[in-house]
Amino acid sequence: MRKKILTMLEQNGRIDLKDLAVLLDIDEAELANEIAQMEKEHIICGYNTIINWDKTTEEKVTALIEVKVAPQRGHGFDNLAERIYNYSEVSSLYLMSGGFDFTVIIEGKSMKDVALFVSGKLATIDGVLSTATHFVLKKYKVYGVALEKENKDERILVTP
């Protein structure tokens, strides 16, 4: 049952509990208790709204930063990860396999803001060996949602 609840909430975090209970054919109070328990267990970690910032007047720059680090004895990557994700600029942080250790995703007001974060904060952390910054030029799909949907003319062509 948890998988069904999580899947439905992942698709629409704003769904009304009453509607979700009907769709899942369970009691609304039971559903509310299950969701509260999953929040307590940190299975459900938050609820987000996907915004296409390109359609607003707000200027935002998103960057993906590859980071190579020297893991700490006895702590591995966890302490470094915590130091990095505690910066307010960091929206996501992933431990990676391959040629680098972390992918850090940040948002800033400008490329200069991103550069200052990398040079002044990220690169100065003990254990950070190198960084490579990639700027996002355009977002097409975020968390499974297409941001730019093509308006297709679905009218049927009628010819005499």
Side-chain angles (χ1 to χ4, degrees):
M1 179 56 63
R2 277 187 166 194
K3 183 179 178 184
K4 287 182 181 180
I5 294 169
L6 293 171
T7 300
M8 297 293 282
L9 287 176
E10 190 174 45
Q11 291 171 356
N12 181 3
R14 293 185 61 180
I15 191 168
D16 184 70
L17 281 183
K18 186 180 289 186
D19 294 339
L20 184 56
V22 169
L23 286 170
L24 297 172
D25 195 29
I26 60 174
D27 180 64
E28 187 177 346
E30 179 186 343
L31 175 63
N33 289 337
E34 189 64 31
I35 290 172
Q37 183 61 35
M38 288 189 285
E39 290 171 344
K40 183 178 176 183
E41 293 173 19
H42 227 100
I43 293 169
I44 297 174
C45 301
Y47 301 87
N48 291 312
T49 301
I50 299 169
I51 299 169
N52 185 352
W53 288 103
D54 290 342
K55 300 254 184 199
T56 71
T57 58
E58 184 74 21
E59 292 291 323
K60 281 192 178 226
V61 174
T62 303
L64 285 75
I65 306 162
E66 299 173 358
V67 182
K68 289 184 183 180
V69 300
Q72 297 174 329
R73 185 181 304 265
H75 298 285
F77 295 100
D78 294 344
N79 284 355
L80 283 167
E82 185 176 2
R83 290 208 46 210
I84 294 169
Y85 72 63
N86 278 322
Y87 285 113
S88 61
E89 295 91 341
V90 175
S91 61
S92 298
L93 173 65
Y94 304 101
L95 180 62
M96 306 297 293
S97 64
F100 55 95
D101 302 304
F102 291 125
T103 296
V104 181
I105 301 174
I106 72 165
E107 290 184 343
K109 291 184 180 190
S110 66
M111 288 185 180
K112 183 177 180 180
D113 283 348
V114 171
L116 289 172
F117 170 79
V118 174
S119 64
K121 295 179 180 178
L122 185 58
T124 62
I125 295 173
D126 286 337
V128 171
L129 303 175
S130 68
T131 64
T133 303
H134 307 274
F135 289 98
V136 173
L137 302 177
K138 183 174 181 177
K139 294 179 183 179
Y140 293 96
K141 191 173 186 177
V142 177
Y143 299 114
V145 176
L147 298 181
E148 295 287 335
K149 291 187 180 177
E150 188 177 311
N151 292 330
K152 292 183 181 177
D153 188 354
E154 295 184 16
R155 296 178 292 177
I156 299 172
L157 178 62
V158 179
T159 58

